[in-house]
């Protein structure tokens, strides 16, 4: 749990001393528990002040330092993800998923469908500033099929991020989606895309709740049928992710991927204090084991001191919720 009291400049200096000793190789002067505590117990504002203090005392950008070594260092990756601004982190994830080699559709869906619309707007602005490119246009260029239209619609919807959830409108939209799915020989893709592009993520969740209330089953089940085709399968993935993000993350963690450690680290760090407890519960329901056990299996077998710290931070973030 993040520290609730106000920390003094002296306490930030102490945190910086611990980190400087660790990164300088003077590990005998500190304990694993001290390093773990910084990345488990400090909130984002505290970590920002630690960065500023570290730069003042040691003349080095701590975030840039861990960024340079994060590729093959799990602890540095965790430290980077904890300290970087969330919208900057997500803009980088989107860029790498599009242009980092093979297309990483799961990460694109993760960011677009699990972040609040207000954050999506920040991500788009940061992407434009950092890469001098438009995120929606890059998605359109790199993705084919229904996912292209669906994800671009979700990104466009963030323009309405300030709107409060309107349950009457949600009921109307639920009926519109039902007609789009049920009334014709084929589903009305244009209407579905139109609704997704005009309603922010919070409103979409209200629509999905209203749909189940009206028709007795979730919308994702309606798009399973053969007449929905490939578009229906792709829509189902996105809808489920928006409606039940904890199940989406739990499924990603169960899959055997070459980048399994990255997915585990990213999920725990980015969803701590949001819905990591729900993800842990969904994961346990399907596997009979906990995320804490998964962390220990992935990182606990090595005697590397880095891995002891990695386990401590990740388990601490999971337990802290």
């Amino acid at each position: 749990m993040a520290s609730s009291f106000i920390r003094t400049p002296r306490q930030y200096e102490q945190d910086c001393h611990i980190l400087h000793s660790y990164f300088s190789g003077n590990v005998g002067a500190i304990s694993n528990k001290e390093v773990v505590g910084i990345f488990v117990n400090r909130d984002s504002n505290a970590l920002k002040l630690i960065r500023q203090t570290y730069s003042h005392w040691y003349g080095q950008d701590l975030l840039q330092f861990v960024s340079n070594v994060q590729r093959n260092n799990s602890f540095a990756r965790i430290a980077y993800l904890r300290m970087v601004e969330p919208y900057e982190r997500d803009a980088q994830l989107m860029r790498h998923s599009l242009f980092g080699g093979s297309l990483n559709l799961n990460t694109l869906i993760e960011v677009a469908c699990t972040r609040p619309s207000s954050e999506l707007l920040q991500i788009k602005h940061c992407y434009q500033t950092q890469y001098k490119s438009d995120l929606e246009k890059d998605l359109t260029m790199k993705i084919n099929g229904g996912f292209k239209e669906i994800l671009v619609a979700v990104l466009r919807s963030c323009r309405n991020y300030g709107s409060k959830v309107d349950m009457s409108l949600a009921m109307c939209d639920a009926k519109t989606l039902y007609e789009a799915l049920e009334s014709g020989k084929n589903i009305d893709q244009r209407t579905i895309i139109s609704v997704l592009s005009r309603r922010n993520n919070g409103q979409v969740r209200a629509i999905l709740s209203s749909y189940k209330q009206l028709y007795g089953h979730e919308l994702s089940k309606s798009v399973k049928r053969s007449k929905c085709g490939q578009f229906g399968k792709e829509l189902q993935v996105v809808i489920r992710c928006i409606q039940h993000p904890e199940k989406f993350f739990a499924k990603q963690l169960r899959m055997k991927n070459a980048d399994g450690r990255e997915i585990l680290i990213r999920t725990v760090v980015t969803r701590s204090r949001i819905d990591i407890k729900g993800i842990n519960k969904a994961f346990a329901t399907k596997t009979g084991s906990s995320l804490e056990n998964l962390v220990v299996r992935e990182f606990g077998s090595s005697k590397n001191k880095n891995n002891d710290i990695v386990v401590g931070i990740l388990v601490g973030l999971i337990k802290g919720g």
Side-chain angles (χ1 to χ4, degrees):
M1 183 178 293
S3 301
S4 58
F5 58 86
I6 298 175
R7 296 180 62 79
T8 67
R10 176 62 183 162
Q11 289 169 316
Y12 290 122
E13 289 173 21
Q14 180 63 25
D15 286 345
C16 290
H17 171 72
I18 292 167
L19 293 175
H20 185 69
S21 296
Y22 179 83
F23 288 123
S24 300
N26 187 21
V27 293
I30 57 172
S31 68
N32 285 4
K33 185 177 179 180
E34 289 176 305
V35 178
V36 169
I38 292 171
F39 292 101
V40 171
N41 299 323
R42 311 294 181 259
D43 62 19
S44 57
N45 288 330
L47 289 170
K48 188 181 296 185
L49 289 169
I50 289 170
R51 281 180 59 193
Q52 293 171 1
T53 306
Y54 194 96
S55 177
H56 172 76
W57 281 102
Y58 301 108
Q60 187 175 33
D61 185 336
L62 186 57
L63 184 65
Q64 187 61 51
F65 174 77
V66 294
S67 175
N68 291 339
V69 298
Q70 66 176 315
R71 180 181 292 275
N72 298 309
N73 185 316
S74 296
F75 168 64
R77 180 61 173 159
I78 291 171
Y80 180 80
L81 290 174
R82 285 288 284 120
M83 290 191 292
V84 71
E85 293 286 357
Y87 58 84
E88 184 178 349
R89 170 201 72 205
D90 288 341
Q92 292 169 359
L93 287 173
M94 295 291 254
R95 183 71 175 185
H96 184 74
S97 298
L98 289 167
F99 298 103
S102 57
L103 182 71
N104 190 332
L105 196 55
N106 284 333
T107 302
L108 295 172
I109 294 169
E110 172 188 329
V111 175
C113 301
T114 67
R115 290 0 179 205
S117 293
S118 57
E119 289 184 15
L120 284 180
L121 192 64
Q122 288 182 301
I123 292 165
K124 288 170 66 177
H125 288 161
C126 181
Y127 188 96
Q128 177 73 50
T129 300
Q130 194 161 342
Y131 304 110
K132 303 296 185 286
S133 188
D134 183 83
L135 180 55
E136 291 178 18
K137 289 181 179 178
D138 285 348
L139 277 173
T140 301
M141 178 177 65
K142 295 292 288 186
I143 302 177
N144 297 316
F147 275 126
K148 173 170 67 177
E149 292 183 275
I150 297 165
L151 289 178
V152 169
V154 172
L155 288 176
R156 285 177 179 167
S157 72
C158 72
R159 292 173 296 189
N160 305 310
Y161 76 92
S163 306
K164 293 183 178 180
V165 171
D166 184 332
M167 293 309 299
S168 296
L169 180 60
M171 282 287 185
C172 292
D173 284 339
K175 293 174 183 177
T176 298
L177 290 176
Y178 182 82
E179 289 296 316
L181 289 167
E182 302 288 350
S183 62
K185 192 173 183 180
N186 299 305
I187 63 172
D188 183 353
Q189 296 184 19
R190 181 175 294 182
T191 296
I192 294 168
I193 293 297
S194 176
V195 171
L196 288 177
S197 66
R198 289 183 290 110
R199 307 293 183 242
N200 63 45
N201 282 355
Q203 187 67 30
V204 169
R205 281 189 285 275
I207 294 169
L208 297 173
S209 176
S210 297
Y211 191 97
K212 184 175 182 179
Q213 183 179 339
L214 287 169
Y215 305 111
H217 61 271
E218 293 188 349
L219 184 146
S220 59
K221 291 189 176 181
S222 293
V223 299
K224 270 187 172 182
R225 295 159 306 156
S226 57
K227 84 169 189 175
C228 297
Q230 185 62 28
F231 178 86
K233 292 178 182 178
E234 293 164 348
L235 178 64
Q236 184 184 40
V237 171
V238 171
I239 289 300
R240 282 181 169 174
C241 186
I242 293 173
Q243 189 171 20
H244 302 295
E246 71 285 353
K247 293 181 180 179
F248 172 86
F249 285 108
K251 184 176 181 179
Q252 296 302 305
L253 291 165
R254 296 198 312 272
M255 295 170 66
K256 301 297 182 182
N257 292 313
D259 58 348
R261 283 191 169 190
E262 161 65 15
I263 293 172
L264 176 56
I265 288 171
R266 191 174 72 235
T267 300
V268 173
V269 173
T270 63
R271 306 310 291 183
S272 65
R273 304 187 182 97
I274 299 175
D275 57 1
I276 194 64
K277 287 188 180 295
I279 295 168
N280 200 359
K281 183 177 180 181
F283 182 83
T285 298
K286 289 292 185 179
T287 65
S289 185
S290 67
L291 290 183
E292 293 97 316
N293 289 337
L294 179 60
V295 167
V296 172
R297 287 200 303 272
E298 283 290 337
F299 298 103
S301 59
S302 171
K303 294 183 179 180
N304 187 319
K305 185 172 183 177
N306 263 353
N307 281 2
D308 291 340
I309 293 174
V310 167
V311 171
I313 295 172
L314 294 179
V315 170
L317 291 173
I318 293 167
K319 289 182 175 179

